[in-house]
């Protein structure tokens, strides 16, 4: 009940918009998936997140209060100005009510500000603590683990028996900095030592100079703070440097199932991994993952699964509120039973996943 109330407070539009929805019943409700469609993070979000969003629309019946739900897609190219431009066009011209995913902290911060200015909704999969910290907004929300959770769980998993030393290879943007900061704090709190750190640009293909610095540090653990193709490239090159054979342990705080599947079994052996969703966790997750795989060709990452759940949940909330423009925010609590009868079967099925 607390979760339902919180989601309602954050995501439900004003009741006055219900009449507007009835007057425009033949117009589609539009939501946007804004992410990396072809770059270094495309395998962990990208087209798979679009598949997940469309499965969510299908699972709530394909309509919202009699209006078809349409999913728009765009590639922000990891550039805040491009992401902001797309968000403005979607909100102002294309009639988009809410934007999902993003998975780039710089883009997410830019889009969240626009969503706040226009009283629309952003629900991102970004793990940066800044989105819910100093840049917190009533119009923005994270769905999935933040940088504190990823960093703390990973470090505690590695240093559970005794403190150790760490060296960080960190992607050079806000989410990477945030995750490294929390990891450092946890390492030091548990009695370990940080031997150093180096920043690498998103989309780096040659990690040799960074790995050489990590190797020279003689730290017990070398943490690659990044995702997608960056993690794969760094891990494969770390194997060429024989980091693990010389006693250093490779750690990847934000690895997904996509990178894990792409790594050689020897390289991936023993890597601590934190997932917010795992496809083989239960009969229900296996069934949903198989639906996803038949369309996308590979199993879902936790990020893609989170896109499904947040789109599904917010469409259910909007149906419950009898409101068609669910990106407009009003902060009040529910007074009716959950959910509306026409949403109940879809809501119960989807929320059990």
């Amino acid at each position: 009940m607390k979760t339902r109330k919180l989601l309602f407070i954050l995501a439900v539009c004003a009741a006055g918009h219900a009449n507007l929805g009835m007057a425009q019943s033949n117009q589609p409700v539009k939501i946007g998936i804004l992410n990396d469609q072809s770059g270094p993070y495309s395998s962990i979000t990208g087209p798979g997140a679009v598949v997940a969003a469309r499965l969510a629309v299908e699972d709530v019946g394909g309509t919202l209060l009699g209006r078809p739900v349409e999913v728009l897609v765009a590639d922000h190219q990891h550039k805040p100005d491009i992401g902001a431009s797309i968000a403005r066009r979607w909100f102002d011209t294309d009639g988009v009510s809410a934007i999902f995913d993003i998975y780039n902290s710089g883009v997410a911060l830019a889009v969240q500000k626009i969503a706040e200015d226009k009283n629309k909704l952003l629900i991102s999969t970004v793990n940066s603590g800044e989105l819910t910290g100093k840049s917190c907004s009533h119009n923005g929300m994270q769905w999935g683990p933040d940088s504190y959770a990823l960093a703390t769980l990973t470090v505690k998993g590695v240093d559970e028996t005794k403190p150790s030393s760490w060296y960080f290879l960190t992607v050079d943007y806000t989410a990477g900095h945030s995750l490294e900061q929390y990891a450092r704090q946890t390492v030091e709190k548990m009695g370990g030592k940080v031997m150093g750190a180096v920043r690498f640009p998103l989309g780096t293909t040659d990690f040799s100079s960074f790995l050489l610095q990590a190797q020279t540090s003689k730290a017990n653990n070398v943490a690659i703070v990044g995702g997608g193709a960056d993690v794969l490239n760094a891990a494969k090159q770390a194997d060429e440097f024989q980091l693990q054979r010389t006693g250093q342990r490779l750690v990847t705080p934000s690895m997904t199932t996509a990178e894990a599947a792409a790594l050689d079994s020897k390289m991936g052996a023993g890597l601590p991994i934190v997932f917010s969703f795992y496809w083989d966790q239960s009969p229900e997750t296996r069934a949903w993952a198989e639906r996803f795989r038949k369309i996308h060709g590979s199993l879902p990452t936790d990020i893609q699964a989170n896109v499904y759940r947040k789109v599904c949940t917010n469409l259910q909330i909007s149906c419950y509120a009898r409101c068609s423009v669910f990106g407009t925010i009003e902060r009040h609590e529910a007074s009716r039973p959950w959910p509306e009868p026409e949403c109940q079967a879809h809501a119960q099925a989807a929320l059990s996943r």
Side-chain angles (χ1 to χ4, degrees):
M1 181 60 71
K2 288 182 179 179
T3 300
R4 292 170 181 169
K5 184 181 291 186
L6 174 61
L7 288 170
F8 187 87
I9 293 169
L10 289 173
V12 172
C13 59
H17 285 278
N19 293 332
L20 176 63
M22 298 300 246
Q24 298 177 339
S25 60
N26 61 336
Q27 297 297 315
V29 174
K30 297 179 181 180
I31 63 175
I33 303 298
L34 181 59
N35 64 16
D36 176 355
Q37 285 288 302
S38 58
Y41 290 175
S42 58
S43 64
I44 59 179
T45 58
V50 179
V51 170
R54 288 177 173 154
L55 283 174
V57 172
E58 177 184 326
D59 285 353
V60 296
T63 63
L64 180 59
L65 302 179
R67 296 169 59 182
V69 179
E70 182 179 336
V71 179
L72 276 63
V73 182
D75 189 339
H76 55 50
Q77 301 175 45
H78 295 280
K79 297 179 179 178
D81 57 338
I82 291 178
S85 176
I86 293 167
R88 287 193 187 94
R89 185 183 75 243
W90 276 357
F91 289 148
D92 293 342
T93 305
D94 296 336
V96 168
S97 297
I99 294 175
F100 298 86
D101 196 12
I102 297 188
Y103 206 66
N104 176 290
S105 53
V107 177
L109 288 165
V111 172
Q112 181 166 280
K113 181 64 171 67
I114 294 168
E116 185 171 17
D117 291 344
K118 299 181 181 298
N119 202 24
K120 300 293 184 178
L121 182 65
L122 167 67
I123 305 184
S124 71
T125 49
V126 174
N127 58 44
S128 171
E130 186 171 337
L131 277 170
T132 51
K134 68 177 183 179
S135 298
C136 180
S137 168
H138 289 298
N139 298 69
M141 182 179 178
Q142 284 176 280
W143 195 291
D146 62 7
S147 50
Y148 174 82
L150 289 172
T152 304
L153 289 171
T154 301
V155 172
K156 287 184 176 180
V158 173
D159 284 357
E160 185 176 10
T161 56
K162 64 177 182 178
S164 60
S165 56
W166 291 71
Y167 191 93
F168 293 93
L169 275 65
T170 303
V171 63
D172 194 9
Y173 62 66
T174 304
H177 304 166
S178 177
L179 204 156
E180 181 191 318
Q181 177 188 354
Y182 286 123
R184 281 175 171 267
Q185 291 172 358
T186 307
V187 168
E188 292 167 356
K189 185 177 180 180
M190 296 183 69
K193 184 177 181 180
V194 177
M195 306 298 289
V198 64
R199 302 278 168 80
F200 64 85
L202 178 69
T204 293
T205 56
D206 183 1
F207 283 85
S208 57
S209 63
F210 308 126
L211 290 167
L212 183 60
Q213 293 177 62
Q215 195 171 44
T216 303
S217 76
K218 299 188 183 301
N220 302 127
N221 306 294
V222 176
I224 303 171
V225 182
D230 287 342
V231 166
L232 285 176
N233 287 331
K236 289 176 180 179
Q237 290 169 44
D239 187 61
E240 294 170 5
F241 271 74
Q242 299 188 342
L243 251 67
Q244 299 198 75
R245 293 185 184 92
T246 58
Q248 290 182 297
R249 185 180 190 181
L250 198 65
V251 181
T252 52
S254 52
M255 177 179 279
T256 72
T257 48
E259 297 99 342
L263 284 176
D264 179 272
S265 58
K266 291 182 180 179
M267 284 187 283
L271 286 177
I273 302 176
V274 178
F275 290 146
S276 56
F277 168 92
Y278 183 58
W279 69 271
D280 198 24
Q281 184 175 359
S282 68
E284 291 79 15
T285 59
R286 286 191 288 273
W288 183 82
E290 181 58 21
R291 288 177 61 205
F292 180 95
R293 187 194 62 78
K294 286 180 178 178
I295 300 170
H296 187 54
S298 61
L299 292 168
T301 65
D302 56 340
I303 299 164
Q304 291 161 345
N306 285 337
V307 169
Y308 168 83
R309 297 194 69 177
K310 62 191 175 185
V311 171
C312 197
T313 300
N314 277 274
L315 288 172
Q316 292 158 5
I317 289 169
S318 299
C319 183
Y320 165 51
R322 309 295 299 168
C323 181
S324 59
V325 190
F326 65 92
T328 304
I329 309 302
E330 178 175 309
R331 290 178 289 281
H332 58 83
E333 295 184 4
S335 58
R336 278 178 284 165
W338 165 274
E340 290 290 333
E342 61 266 38
C343 301
Q344 192 164 11
H346 294 298
Q348 288 177 345
L351 287 173
S352 69
R353 294 188 177 96

